[in-house]
Amino acid sequence: IMSYLSLFIMGLLAYLETKAYLATRTVTDLALDTNRDPRVRVNFNITMMDLRCDYAVIDVVSVLGTDQNVTQHVTKFSLNADGVRARFAGRNKQQNDIALSDEKVTETIEELHENGEDAVSLDEQTLEFAKNENEYLFVDFYASWCSHCRDLAPTWETLAEVMTDAAEEKVDEQITERMERGGRPHHEYSDEEYDEAVKMELPVFIAKVDC
């Protein structure tokens, strides 16, 4: 009797495991009330440790039950054991839906540098220091011979200027509040102290590294 019972339990476990393996379930769903854009971009992350992502199939089901396979429109990226994406593996080099610069920035990089550089140039050592000292750090890794990098340079410098302006505005507000509380007509900070205070209040530290 025990042998038959053991065989029954083993068969039941095998059946339940197979059923669970073949079963599908919805982990996340996305619904749009209205949309006038001709295309909708959706970013998602599916991690399969023991299965190549080449075998992943993506279907989109509308609220009306219409099923459409969109696998061919999905860009897949390979990750190493540490979860870091390969630099170019799996990337669509013909992708043309990413803006390489802001068309609203009309000034040249030389014109933007007339009043100084706001995007800080870093090397290998100072980059590590900046990573440790700043909560938010944006770095442009560029090459002087790269045309796309040259196109991005004015946009990147403008972003750095926006961060500096935001920091200066915050510092000025703090100085004004202290002056009002102390009843003093002007502050006693030097230009060096003011610049250091601005650096401390940067929302995001904008930097660049010449590769």
Side-chain angles (χ1 to χ4, degrees):
I1 297 177
M2 294 298 296
S3 298
Y4 287 112
L5 181 60
S6 299
L7 290 173
F8 173 75
I9 294 176
M10 292 175 62
L12 179 62
L13 290 176
Y15 168 75
L16 294 176
E17 287 291 334
T18 304
K19 182 180 179 181
Y21 176 77
L22 297 176
T24 60
R25 62 189 179 91
T26 301
V27 178
T28 303
D29 55 4
L30 174 65
L32 298 178
D33 294 334
T34 57
N35 177 51
R36 297 181 180 178
D37 297 329
R39 295 187 301 173
V40 176
R41 179 173 179 172
V42 179
N43 296 329
F44 58 89
N45 180 17
I46 301 176
T47 303
M48 296 176 290
M49 302 303 297
D50 300 318
L51 183 65
R52 290 177 57 87
C53 62
D54 298 343
Y55 301 104
V57 178
I58 309 298
D59 291 327
V60 175
V61 182
S62 69
V63 293
L64 301 178
T66 304
D67 190 350
Q68 180 181 2
N69 186 281
V70 296
T71 306
Q72 62 177 338
H73 303 297
V74 176
T75 303
K76 304 172 184 178
F77 301 97
S78 300
L79 306 178
N80 60 20
D82 298 325
V84 178
R85 189 177 71 182
R87 186 172 185 183
F88 290 108
R91 185 175 302 180
N92 182 5
K93 298 180 177 61
Q94 304 301 323
Q95 188 171 355
N96 56 8
D97 60 344
I98 297 179
L100 300 179
S101 61
D102 189 350
E103 297 180 353
K104 297 179 181 178
V105 178
T106 58
E107 294 179 281
T108 64
I109 190 65
E110 291 77 16
E111 293 173 340
L112 292 169
H113 284 170
E114 288 180 355
N115 59 347
E117 296 186 30
D118 289 272
V120 182
S121 296
L122 302 178
D123 55 24
E124 184 176 354
Q125 294 181 347
T126 54
L127 175 60
E128 292 299 322
F129 179 80
K131 288 165 59 178
N132 296 328
E133 292 296 321
N134 296 278
E135 183 176 4
Y136 301 104
L137 171 65
F138 289 177
V139 182
D140 174 26
F141 294 91
Y142 71 98
S144 57
W145 50 262
C146 173
S147 60
H148 298 307
C149 298
R150 292 196 296 268
D151 292 340
L152 177 62
T155 300
W156 197 254
E157 180 64 21
T158 300
L159 174 62
E161 289 186 355
V162 170
M163 295 298 107
T164 301
D165 292 342
E168 290 179 349
E169 183 177 350
K170 188 172 183 179
V171 171
D172 291 341
E173 290 178 355
Q174 295 174 351
I175 292 176
T176 301
E177 291 178 0
R178 293 177 183 177
M179 289 170 54
E180 291 176 351
R181 289 198 304 265
R184 291 173 295 184
H186 57 82
H187 68 81
E188 299 176 353
Y189 301 109
S190 64
D191 293 340
E192 291 77 10
E193 292 173 333
Y194 180 84
D195 292 339
E196 288 299 322
V198 169
K199 294 178 182 178
M200 294 295 296
E201 296 296 340
L202 284 172
V204 180
F205 189 86
I206 307 299
K208 55 186 178 181
V209 175
D210 189 350
C211 301

